[in-house]
Amino acid sequence: MDTAAVASLWNQNAENWTLLSRQGFDVFRDHVNTPGFLELLPDVAGLEGLDIGCGEGTNTRTVASLGASMQGVDVAERFVAFASEREARDPRGIRFQLASATALPFADASFDFATAFMSFMDLPEQGRALAEAFRVLRPGGFFQFSICHPCFHLRRFNWIRDEEGQRIGLDVGHYFDPPWGEVEEWTFSSATEEAKAALPEFAPFKVPRFGRTLTGWLDLIFAAGFQLERTAEPSASDEALAACPRLAHTRLIAFSLILRCRKPGDGQGR
Ligand SMILES: C[S@@+](CC[C@H](N)C(=O)[O-])C[C@H]1O[C@@H](n2cnc3c(N)ncnc32)[C@H](O)[C@@H]1O
């Protein structure tokens, strides 16, 4: 599966993904991953940032609302269109454009920081994408990204349940497989039947996923030239659980891993 195949799948997913996530059905993103990501994010007010794999742009807009001057890129033109259309309706000063993480259309040292919310495990050339993130950062700048957790999001993944059917643990395997790529089919589990029926045409998402071990990821980060600065493994807070009880299983295992990496150099970007 190459970048063109990945872009084609995400273009197919884009409309339903946008419609459902904007109604609040991407509960893991909204209640677990993004809050954990923002907790780890340094102060970005007044900084120039790039969001890589921005999708329909909700998280780019959230970072912009913290005072950063943002640009967003995505490999799927339909996502870029949804993000741009919302920006035109309700401007946050963001420029969205079509581009691959593996060939960023920016000069060296263009940004103080970069983010990537749950996109780097969705692309096949992760080393090249990390090298590109490094290249476009100013010395001292940071790149913070979240991925499906490499220790739990594996090709063997089955919930272990108690007599009542409650999830109590996970049966995983194939951790040491060589870097792999697969297309997973699913939809947001909280999406109601009414919401699905209201879509122009419901189909499960076809999500490309590329996995490697934890040390495989760390090796790529170091090979790109980054220093690893902070990490986080978010799970549902008490408030998130009260708002969305179906997130209880995010306390059993870590679904995502957030990494903040620094490009060596003086200053905080500029
Ligand atoms: C799980 S979605 C996350 C979207 C968004 N960051 C969010 O948090 O809602 C993954 C995104 O990565 C994008 N993507 C996949 N491969 C890419 C690449 N090579 N370059 C840029 N974006 C890519 C997809 O098009 C998709 O929008």
Side-chain angles (χ1 to χ4, degrees), residues 6-12 14-15 18 54-56 73-85 96-99:
V6 167
S8 165
L9 289 169
W10 278 111
N11 271 318
Q12 289 170 47
E15 182 168 25
T18 301
C54 59
E56 47 78 45
V73 293
D74 200 281
V75 79
E77 59 201 35
R78 299 192 74 193
F79 266 137
V80 175
F82 282 114
S84 303
E85 177 271 327
F96 291 102
Q97 63 178 304
L98 181 65

Side-chain angles (χ1 to χ4, degrees), residues 3 6-7 9-11 17 21 26 29-30 33-34 51-60 73-77 79 99-104 116-125 129 146 186 207-210:
T3 299
V6 167
L9 289 169
W10 278 111
N11 271 318
W17 187 285
S21 68
D26 190 351
R29 180 187 77 174
D30 295 346
N33 192 61
T34 297
D51 189 25
I52 306 171
C54 59
E56 47 78 45
T58 292
N59 279 326
T60 325
V73 293
D74 200 281
V75 79
E77 59 201 35
F79 266 137
S100 173
T102 53
L104 294 173
F117 293 79
M118 302 302 269
S119 55
F120 267 50
M121 72 285 170
D122 289 353
L123 54 91
E125 296 173 281
S146 57
W186 47 269
V207 178
R209 283 285 144 84
F210 299 87

Side-chain angles (χ1 to χ4, degrees), residues 24-263:
F25 293 122
D26 190 351
V27 290
F28 178 75
R29 180 187 77 174
D30 295 346
H31 293 283
V32 182
N33 192 61
T34 297
F37 197 102
L38 297 177
E39 209 171 293
L40 199 69
L41 196 70
D43 182 8
V44 293
L47 300 184
E48 289 180 310
L50 173 66
D51 189 25
I52 306 171
C54 59
E56 47 78 45
T58 292
N59 279 326
T60 325
R61 295 170 64 78
T62 300
V63 179
S65 71
L66 299 174
S69 169
M70 293 301 293
Q71 296 201 43
V73 293
D74 200 281
V75 79
E77 59 201 35
R78 299 192 74 193
F79 266 137
V80 175
F82 282 114
S84 303
E85 177 271 327
R86 190 170 182 195
E87 171 65 20
R89 261 192 294 122
D90 183 9
R92 302 265 166 106
I94 306 170
R95 177 163 183 239
F96 291 102
Q97 63 178 304
L98 181 65
S100 173
T102 53
L104 294 173
F106 305 105
D108 296 357
S110 295
F111 296 96
D112 301 311
F113 74 97
T115 52
F117 293 79
M118 302 302 269
S119 55
F120 267 50
M121 72 285 170
D122 289 353
L123 54 91
E125 296 173 281
Q126 292 152 344
R128 214 169 126 195
L130 280 160
E132 278 292 271
F134 185 89
R135 182 184 66 75
V136 301
L137 284 177
R138 299 185 175 117
F142 72 86
F143 175 46
Q144 183 168 309
F145 69 111
S146 57
I147 50 175
C148 287
H149 202 295
C151 299
F152 299 106
H153 192 96
L154 301 175
R155 284 197 277 188
R156 180 184 171 98
F157 179 105
N158 299 301
W159 286 106
I160 302 166
R161 295 176 187 269
D162 65 14
E163 305 81 59
E164 275 104 49
Q166 297 295 320
R167 290 185 260 220
I168 53 171
L170 197 62
D171 161 20
V172 289
H174 292 279
Y175 178 68
F176 290 107
D177 282 2
W180 51 272
E182 276 182 2
V183 178
E184 299 172 353
E185 288 200 25
W186 47 269
T187 192
F188 298 130
S189 56
S190 65
T192 59
E193 291 309 315
E194 293 76 18
K196 288 192 261 186
L199 296 171
E201 188 182 355
F202 174 72
F205 303 129
K206 292 192 171 156
V207 178
R209 283 285 144 84
F210 299 87
R212 59 180 66 241
T213 59
L214 177 59
T215 48
W217 278 104
L218 297 177
D219 285 347
L220 290 185
I221 288 168
F222 299 135
F226 281 117
Q227 293 167 345
L228 182 60
E229 191 169 83
R230 291 283 304 275
T231 57
E233 294 172 309
S235 64
S237 63
D238 291 346
E239 299 75 46
L241 220 46
C244 188
R246 64 168 58 240
L247 286 169
H249 61 301
T250 70
R251 289 186 166 185
L252 292 176
I253 61 153
F255 278 80
S256 65
L257 174 64
I258 307 172
L259 304 118
R260 195 210 300 158
C261 313
R262 186 74 60 176
K263 180 169 182 168

